[in-house]
Each structure stands twice: as C-alpha cells, then as structure tokens.
Amino acid sequence: MAASTGDLGLTKLQFAPFSSALDVGFWHELTQKKLNEYRLDEAPKDIKGYYYNGDPAGLPARFTLEFSAFDMNAPTPAHCCPAVGTLYNTNTLESFKTADKKLLLEQAANEIWESIKSGAALENPVLLNKFLLLTFA
C-alpha cells in the first residue's frame, strides 16, 4: 500500500502493485513435486511466498516464490512479510487456457472477505495476503 496526499493535506491509503519473482528454485521444486508426488493430480495446492516493501519510494514491493514455497512451515526471511496462496497446476495446455481465471480470482477474493467478516484476519493478518498461481506443467 502506498500513501498519497489529497487536496486537504490528508494522507489516504492506496493500492500498490507487487513486482513478482518466481525463483528458479521454485520451478525446480515444482518439477520434482509434479514428477514424484502430484503426477496427474490437478487439485489446488497450498503454497507460501513472501514480500518485501522496504525498497526506496517509487519501487514496487517485491513478491517472491522460492523453493520453500511448498513448505507451509518454512520460516519467512527477515524483514519480509508472509503471503499464503494456492497453486493451480494443470496437466494440459488446453486446461490451462480454458481455466476460469475470473472464477479463481473471485474465490480468492471471497476467502479474503470471509476472513475479514469472521474476524479471522484480526487474529492472523497473513490471511489478507492471498495470491494464486495458475501453471501448466
């Protein structure tokens, strides 16, 4: 989130997009999981990433997925904030192309909204940092 100054000198909260980076270690680990564990299973998988927003003003927050993304208990690096998400890995290019991306985004948004309404986000603010990743492997 970024702040900007309005006409009255008040600061208002605004959305600031992430700059995402999928580390080569993430792709290697996904390959290993796909070959040895997931095989043809297209069920959604929980994954974990992190972001860093300590860069100079004007630069977007960096969101990273690395080899540890598949370990939900992996520690988050120092000075970074955790984000939890869902991996949707498809087996065919056709299923990747025909995936209902709007529906997937709506489901993620609904999960965030339910966390807010239920108060779970007050107990665990990480629930507000949801993301999804749609891949073909």
Side-chain angles (χ1 to χ4, degrees):
M1 300 277 172
S4 70
T5 305
D7 294 334
L8 302 174
L10 300 175
T11 302
K12 58 183 172 179
L13 196 60
Q14 292 183 329
F15 173 76
F18 286 114
S19 172
S20 57
L22 279 74
D23 188 78
V24 68
F26 171 82
W27 295 115
H28 177 73
E29 190 66 20
L30 176 58
T31 301
Q32 295 304 308
K33 293 269 189 194
K34 176 70 177 159
L35 291 173
N36 300 319
E37 187 178 329
Y38 303 156
R39 294 190 174 98
L40 295 178
D41 182 11
E42 288 189 347
K45 309 289 189 275
D46 291 333
I47 55 175
K48 179 181 170 186
Y50 59 88
Y51 67 94
Y52 176 75
N53 64 352
D55 288 331
L59 293 177
R62 290 179 285 151
F63 177 75
T64 304
L65 286 174
E66 57 182 28
F67 69 94
S68 62
F70 299 93
D71 179 1
M72 296 303 287
N73 296 316
T76 302
H79 309 293
C80 294
C81 301
V84 293
T86 306
L87 169 68
Y88 296 92
N89 186 50
T90 60
N91 291 315
T92 65
L93 184 57
E94 185 62 28
S95 58
F96 175 79
K97 288 180 179 180
T98 60
D100 191 344
K101 295 155 189 80
K102 183 179 178 188
L103 177 64
L104 295 175
L105 286 172
E106 286 174 357
Q107 288 172 341
N110 286 336
E111 288 176 21
I112 293 170
W113 183 239
E114 287 302 318
S115 296
I116 293 169
K117 288 188 339 187
S118 72
L122 292 173
E123 299 294 322
N124 185 7
V126 172
L127 297 174
L128 299 173
N129 297 329
K130 299 279 290 179
F131 68 93
L132 62 92
L133 179 63
L134 176 63
T135 60
F136 159 57

